[in-house]
């Protein structure tokens, strides 16, 4: 089983425009839709549609539109009822795939609610078929009043309570939640940054330089391996995606796809990786499926997630990068370190 925790879920509304977005003008949409969202929710949706059991844990009232959407999609979930309605995010997509996303902050989550949400998650781990072979995904932004080390607190609590039966932990976030997790010892088994987040997490080089040079990005990811991260799955825009572990590094690329919406493509990439991993695939094939899933999601409208049958892992080329797994980067930027689909940058949700 794969559990996901989405502390700041949303109802994602997508509006498709007939042409380029015109600021200050009145434009008529050619299509509109809505899906339950938030990064962890998207991962659970992508896994569920591919036949892998996933349970989404999130705050929100039983009658909230996000819960309604999850029920309609057939996604298992456990919700912590709160009084305030969940946020709505708005995505505007243009015919060439250009995506504009406006994310609301979400309702505050009080300390007592934070504790209750963690308790609900631990209970889900205990009650389900959780264990060393399963995964817990901590993903997305944090709502107001939640401290930036929240994901680290969750990781510590789950491991302390469950011991050897604790699931492996994957983290996909950015900004303060990402840094809070790394600086407070979350030590995830899998970290999924894009180039911007990889630069942020390591203090090594810049987003543009890491996207342009996969070897440089692999060395930056190696810094995180040395700090206790089990594996780094990093998306590098048009250059593809990387997987770096203590035992090796791999680069995956594929021919460009006609993008319709990049929203949720990074979440689908993470789902693809986990889908392959729980099926027993080798690391390069997990990376291959991640890229295939991300590309398939980018070719779909709105926040639609692809089933595994709709992906094309055969179109993905995986190359071994020698001598970069777990290595320390060299260069002037290394001294200052402090601690989406392949064809697009990843949004925070």
């Amino acid at each position: 089983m794969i559990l996901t925790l989405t502390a700041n879920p949303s109802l994602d509304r997508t509006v498709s425009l007939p042409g380029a977005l015109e600021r200050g003008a009145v434009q008529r949409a050619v299509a509109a839709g809505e899906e339950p969202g938030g990064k962890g929710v998207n991962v659970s949706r992508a896994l569920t549609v591919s036949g892998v059991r996933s349970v989404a844990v999130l705050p929100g009232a039983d009658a909230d539109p996000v819960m309604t959407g999850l029920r309609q999609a057939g996604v298992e979930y456990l919700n912590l009822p709160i009084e305030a309605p969940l946020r709505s995010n708005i995505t505007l997509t243009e015919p060439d795939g250009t995506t504009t996303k406006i994310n609301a902050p979400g309702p505050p989550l009080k300390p007592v609610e934070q504790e209750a949400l963690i308790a609900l998650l631990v209970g889900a781990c205990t009650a389900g078929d959780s264990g060393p072979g399963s995964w817990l995904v901590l993903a997305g932004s944090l709502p107001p009043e939640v401290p930036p080390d929240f994901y680290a607190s969750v990781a510590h609590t789950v491991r302390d309570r469950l011991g050897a039966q604790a699931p492996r932990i994957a983290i996909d976030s950015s900004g303060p939640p990402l840094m809070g997790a790394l600086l407070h010892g979350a030590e995830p088994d899998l970290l999924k940054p894009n180039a911007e987040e990889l630069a942020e997490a390591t203090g090594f080089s810049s987003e543009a330089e890491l996207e342009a040079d996969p070897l440089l990005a692999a060395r930056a990811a190696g810094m995180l391996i040395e700090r206790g991260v089990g594996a780094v799955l990093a998306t590098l825009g048009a250059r593809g995606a990387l997987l770096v572990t203590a035992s090796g590094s791999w680069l995956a690329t594929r021919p460009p796809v006609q993008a319709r919406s990049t929203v949720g493509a990074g979440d689908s990439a993470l789902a693809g990786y986990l889908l392959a991993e729980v099926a027993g695939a080798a690391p390069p094939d997990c990376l291959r499926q991640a890229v295939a899933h991300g590309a398939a999601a980018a070719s779909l409208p709105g926040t639609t997630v692809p089933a595994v049958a709709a992906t094309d892992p055969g179109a993905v080329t995986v190359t071994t990068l020698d001598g970069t797994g777990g290595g320390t980067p060299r260069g002037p930027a290394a001294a200052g370190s402090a601690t989406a689909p392949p064809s697009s940058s990843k949004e925070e949700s």
Side-chain angles (χ1 to χ4, degrees), residues 20-251:
L21 174 65
E22 300 176 27
R23 293 184 61 195
V26 175
Q27 293 176 267
R28 296 187 182 278
V30 295
E34 59 186 33
E35 298 278 1
K39 298 188 74 60
V41 166
N42 291 339
V43 171
S44 283
R45 289 173 53 221
L47 291 167
T48 299
V49 77
S50 292
V52 174
R53 188 185 178 205
S54 180
V55 178
V57 179
L58 68 164
D62 293 338
D64 193 279
V66 172
M67 308 307 153
T68 301
L70 288 172
R71 289 192 293 270
Q72 292 174 343
V75 177
E76 291 186 65
Y77 68 90
L78 291 171
N79 63 305
L80 175 72
I82 60 174
E83 294 183 3
L86 297 175
R87 62 184 178 145
S88 292
N89 294 335
I90 299 174
T91 299
L92 303 175
T93 62
E94 302 171 37
D96 66 353
T98 299
T99 302
T100 303
K101 198 160 192 281
I102 304 171
N103 288 349
L109 206 60
K110 300 178 178 61
V112 64
E113 293 171 327
Q114 297 169 34
E115 294 177 5
L117 186 62
I118 295 176
L120 182 65
L121 180 65
V122 171
C125 291
T126 304
D129 51 352
S130 181
S134 61
W135 285 90
L136 166 61
V137 178
L138 311 177
S141 62
L142 297 175
E145 299 187 17
V146 176
D149 65 347
F150 180 72
Y151 286 144
S153 297
V154 172
H156 291 312
T157 300
V158 167
R159 287 165 176 158
D160 289 346
R161 299 278 180 85
L162 300 181
Q165 291 304 305
R168 289 169 291 171
I169 293 176
I171 294 180
D172 183 3
S173 191
S174 64
L178 171 62
M179 297 307 297
L182 295 176
L183 291 171
H184 291 84
E187 296 189 350
D189 299 279
L190 176 67
L191 188 70
K192 195 211 163 291
N194 60 14
E196 178 183 5
E197 294 153 358
L198 184 57
E200 176 186 22
T202 60
F204 178 70
S205 198
S206 67
E207 174 186 3
E209 290 169 335
L210 295 181
E211 282 196 351
D213 187 346
L215 284 173
L216 191 69
R219 291 198 295 270
M223 295 175 66
L224 298 174
I225 302 300
E226 291 183 342
R227 295 173 193 164
V229 176
V232 177
L233 172 64
T235 51
L236 302 176
R239 298 304 298 268
L242 282 171
L243 177 63
V244 179
T245 71
S247 59
S249 303
W250 300 269
L251 172 68

